[in-house]
Amino acid sequence: MSAPTDNPRLCLVAITKHGAAQAARLAVDLPDADICTSAKFAASFSGLPNAIRAYEGALRDEIGPLFAGYDQIVFFVSLGAVVRLIAPHLRSKDEDPGVIVVDDAGQYVIPVLSGHVGGANEWSERVALLLDAAPVLTTASDVGRTIPVDILGRNLGWRVEAPKINITRVSAHVVNGEPIAFIQEAGSPDWWTRPTPLPDNIHRFARFDEVPLERYAALLWVTHAEVPAERWDALKERLVVYRPPRDADQDSGA
């Protein structure tokens, strides 16, 4: 699965009359999205510029190609049916596409798979906005409108550098509202993209040596500096480092 972008490979899947109507409504605003639908409802999409795959057999036979060919798949199919259909194809959150379910009435948009890392949460919010529906998010950092530790700055080209256990532990500190030091010595300042203010438990610093380490449960450090092994050891599982592209510093005047 490729990393989420503003232009992912997107497919809308519909197998009922009402689902096809909702998918067609969404397709008007997403002309680059492909459509996969039961052949009997293909006429619902006539006149749209979207590429259409009208299948004659069972939807379960389409899941493998959908997983292989798309970054985000929006199903206008019941949640239970989608869970059963995709279960044999699941690999890992780093490989699976984002899977989103919209109910037949177009009232709720639910990210089912790869919501956080795969971008389905973000796309659920976009789809909900276009359908005037309610997104149903369950990922703690998204619900709490706080820092997503494992993917912070990914849209800016930042690379995460930390043992997996650090990412897990620090993520828990962040979503639990514990005091967090955010040290930014490099990279774009435009990393906070949520419409809500930065949570009060996140405290900014311009340099690592300014941080009173004993006051913070965890540290998020954006830097080009080398981090010696003894510093990792001293901070145990409290540190996550981010490596922004060096050319981005030049572009931003840093």
Side-chain angles (χ1 to χ4, degrees), residues 104-127:
D104 242 21
Q107 293 182 309
Y108 301 103
V109 182
I110 309 165
V112 177
L113 184 69
S114 296
H116 184 59
V117 174
N121 286 353
E122 177 186 351
W123 269 92
S124 291
E125 292 184 302
R126 295 189 192 188
V127 168

Side-chain angles (χ1 to χ4, degrees), residues 153-220:
R154 184 167 62 178
N155 61 314
L156 299 169
W158 294 8
R159 179 174 53 85
V160 183
E161 182 179 292
K164 187 173 182 180
I165 187 63
N166 289 41
I167 295 172
T168 300
R169 298 279 194 239
V170 172
S171 294
H173 291 312
V174 169
V175 300
N176 287 330
E178 297 176 49
I180 307 296
F182 184 90
I183 310 114
Q184 184 164 17
E185 299 175 344
S188 169
D190 301 323
W191 54 270
W192 181 252
T193 58
R194 298 193 189 279
T196 51
L198 189 67
D200 292 340
N201 67 309
I202 311 295
H203 303 269
R204 298 190 196 227
F205 295 88
R207 293 171 45 182
F208 187 91
D209 58 14
E210 296 176 353
V211 182
L213 300 179
E214 70 282 357
R215 297 184 187 176
Y216 294 96
L219 299 91
L220 307 177

